[in-house]
Short mmCIF file of all heavy atoms in Angstrom, two decimals:
data_model
loop_
_atom_site.label_atom_id
_atom_site.label_comp_id
_atom_site.label_asym_id
_atom_site.label_seq_id
_atom_site.Cartn_x
_atom_site.Cartn_y
_atom_site.Cartn_z
N LEU A 125 251.41 57.25 165.34
CA LEU A 125 250.44 58.19 165.89
C LEU A 125 250.27 59.41 165.00
O LEU A 125 249.15 59.91 164.81
CB LEU A 125 250.87 58.63 167.29
CG LEU A 125 250.75 57.57 168.39
CD1 LEU A 125 251.33 58.10 169.70
CD2 LEU A 125 249.31 57.15 168.59
N THR A 126 251.37 59.88 164.45
CA THR A 126 251.29 61.04 163.56
C THR A 126 250.46 60.73 162.33
O THR A 126 249.59 61.52 161.92
CB THR A 126 252.70 61.48 163.13
OG1 THR A 126 253.45 61.83 164.31
CG2 THR A 126 252.63 62.70 162.22
N GLN A 127 250.72 59.57 161.72
CA GLN A 127 249.95 59.18 160.53
C GLN A 127 248.48 58.98 160.88
O GLN A 127 247.59 59.40 160.13
CB GLN A 127 250.53 57.89 159.95
CG GLN A 127 251.95 58.06 159.39
CD GLN A 127 252.54 56.74 158.95
OE1 GLN A 127 251.91 55.70 159.06
NE2 GLN A 127 253.77 56.79 158.46
N ARG A 128 248.22 58.35 162.04
CA ARG A 128 246.83 58.10 162.43
C ARG A 128 246.10 59.40 162.71
O ARG A 128 244.94 59.58 162.31
CB ARG A 128 246.82 57.21 163.69
CG ARG A 128 245.42 56.84 164.17
CD ARG A 128 244.71 55.97 163.16
NE ARG A 128 243.39 55.58 163.61
CZ ARG A 128 242.50 54.95 162.87
NH1 ARG A 128 242.78 54.62 161.64
NH2 ARG A 128 241.32 54.64 163.37
N ASN A 129 246.74 60.34 163.41
CA ASN A 129 246.11 61.62 163.71
C ASN A 129 245.80 62.40 162.44
O ASN A 129 244.75 63.02 162.31
CB ASN A 129 247.01 62.45 164.62
CG ASN A 129 247.02 61.92 166.04
OD1 ASN A 129 246.09 61.24 166.46
ND2 ASN A 129 248.07 62.23 166.78
N LEU A 130 246.74 62.37 161.49
CA LEU A 130 246.52 63.06 160.23
C LEU A 130 245.33 62.47 159.49
O LEU A 130 244.47 63.20 158.98
CB LEU A 130 247.78 62.98 159.35
CG LEU A 130 247.69 63.62 157.96
CD1 LEU A 130 247.41 65.12 158.08
CD2 LEU A 130 248.98 63.39 157.19
N PHE A 131 245.24 61.14 159.46
CA PHE A 131 244.12 60.49 158.79
C PHE A 131 242.79 60.84 159.46
O PHE A 131 241.81 61.17 158.79
CB PHE A 131 244.34 58.97 158.80
CG PHE A 131 243.14 58.18 158.35
CD1 PHE A 131 242.83 58.06 157.01
CD2 PHE A 131 242.31 57.56 159.28
CE1 PHE A 131 241.72 57.34 156.59
CE2 PHE A 131 241.21 56.83 158.88
CZ PHE A 131 240.92 56.72 157.53
N LEU A 132 242.75 60.79 160.79
CA LEU A 132 241.52 61.08 161.50
C LEU A 132 241.10 62.54 161.35
O LEU A 132 239.90 62.84 161.22
CB LEU A 132 241.68 60.73 162.98
CG LEU A 132 241.81 59.24 163.31
CD1 LEU A 132 242.08 59.05 164.79
CD2 LEU A 132 240.56 58.48 162.90
N GLU A 133 242.05 63.44 161.38
CA GLU A 133 241.72 64.86 161.21
C GLU A 133 241.11 65.12 159.83
O GLU A 133 240.12 65.84 159.69
CB GLU A 133 242.97 65.71 161.40
CG GLU A 133 243.42 65.80 162.86
CD GLU A 133 244.74 66.54 162.99
OE1 GLU A 133 245.27 66.99 161.94
OE2 GLU A 133 245.24 66.67 164.12
N ARG A 134 241.69 64.51 158.80
CA ARG A 134 241.14 64.68 157.46
C ARG A 134 239.75 64.07 157.35
O ARG A 134 238.86 64.63 156.72
CB ARG A 134 242.08 64.04 156.43
CG ARG A 134 243.44 64.74 156.30
CD ARG A 134 244.31 64.07 155.29
NE ARG A 134 243.70 64.07 153.97
CZ ARG A 134 244.19 63.42 152.90
NH1 ARG A 134 245.29 62.70 153.03
NH2 ARG A 134 243.58 63.48 151.76
N GLN A 135 239.57 62.91 157.98
CA GLN A 135 238.26 62.26 157.92
C GLN A 135 237.19 63.09 158.64
O GLN A 135 236.08 63.27 158.12
CB GLN A 135 238.36 60.87 158.56
CG GLN A 135 237.10 60.03 158.40
CD GLN A 135 237.29 58.64 158.99
OE1 GLN A 135 237.88 58.49 160.05
NE2 GLN A 135 236.78 57.63 158.32
N VAL A 136 237.53 63.61 159.81
CA VAL A 136 236.57 64.43 160.56
C VAL A 136 236.23 65.71 159.79
O VAL A 136 235.06 66.11 159.71
CB VAL A 136 237.13 64.76 161.95
CG1 VAL A 136 236.28 65.82 162.65
CG2 VAL A 136 237.19 63.50 162.81
N ASP A 137 237.25 66.35 159.23
CA ASP A 137 236.99 67.58 158.46
C ASP A 137 236.08 67.30 157.27
O ASP A 137 235.17 68.09 156.96
CB ASP A 137 238.31 68.18 157.98
CG ASP A 137 239.12 68.78 159.12
OD1 ASP A 137 238.51 69.08 160.17
OD2 ASP A 137 240.34 68.93 158.97
N ARG A 138 236.32 66.19 156.59
CA ARG A 138 235.50 65.86 155.43
C ARG A 138 234.05 65.57 155.83
O ARG A 138 233.11 66.05 155.19
CB ARG A 138 236.09 64.65 154.70
CG ARG A 138 235.35 64.31 153.41
CD ARG A 138 236.11 63.28 152.60
NE ARG A 138 236.26 62.04 153.31
CZ ARG A 138 237.41 61.59 153.82
NH1 ARG A 138 238.51 62.32 153.70
NH2 ARG A 138 237.49 60.43 154.45
N LEU A 139 233.87 64.80 156.90
CA LEU A 139 232.52 64.50 157.36
C LEU A 139 231.80 65.75 157.86
O LEU A 139 230.60 65.94 157.62
CB LEU A 139 232.58 63.45 158.47
CG LEU A 139 233.02 62.04 158.05
CD1 LEU A 139 233.17 61.14 159.26
CD2 LEU A 139 232.03 61.44 157.07
N ARG A 140 232.54 66.60 158.57
CA ARG A 140 231.93 67.84 159.07
C ARG A 140 231.47 68.72 157.90
O ARG A 140 230.38 69.31 157.94
CB ARG A 140 232.93 68.59 159.94
CG ARG A 140 232.35 69.87 160.56
CD ARG A 140 233.37 70.60 161.40
NE ARG A 140 233.63 69.89 162.64
CZ ARG A 140 234.75 69.26 162.92
NH1 ARG A 140 235.75 69.26 162.03
NH2 ARG A 140 234.92 68.64 164.07
N GLY A 202 244.48 53.48 169.95
CA GLY A 202 244.30 54.50 168.92
C GLY A 202 243.83 53.96 167.59
O GLY A 202 243.26 54.70 166.79
N THR A 203 244.03 52.67 167.35
CA THR A 203 243.63 52.09 166.06
C THR A 203 242.38 51.24 166.15
O THR A 203 241.88 50.81 165.11
CB THR A 203 244.78 51.25 165.48
OG1 THR A 203 245.16 50.24 166.43
CG2 THR A 203 245.98 52.12 165.16
N SER A 283 236.46 50.91 166.04
CA SER A 283 236.89 50.14 164.87
C SER A 283 237.35 48.73 165.27
O SER A 283 238.05 48.55 166.26
CB SER A 283 238.04 50.85 164.16
OG SER A 283 237.59 52.07 163.60
#
Side-chain angles (χ1 to χ4, degrees):
L125 289 175
T126 300
Q127 295 174 359
R128 182 65 179 172
N129 287 337
L130 178 61
F131 170 77
L132 291 175
E133 287 175 1
R134 293 180 60 187
Q135 187 177 41
V136 169
D137 289 340
R138 185 170 61 251
L139 291 174
R140 183 181 288 109
T203 56
S283 294

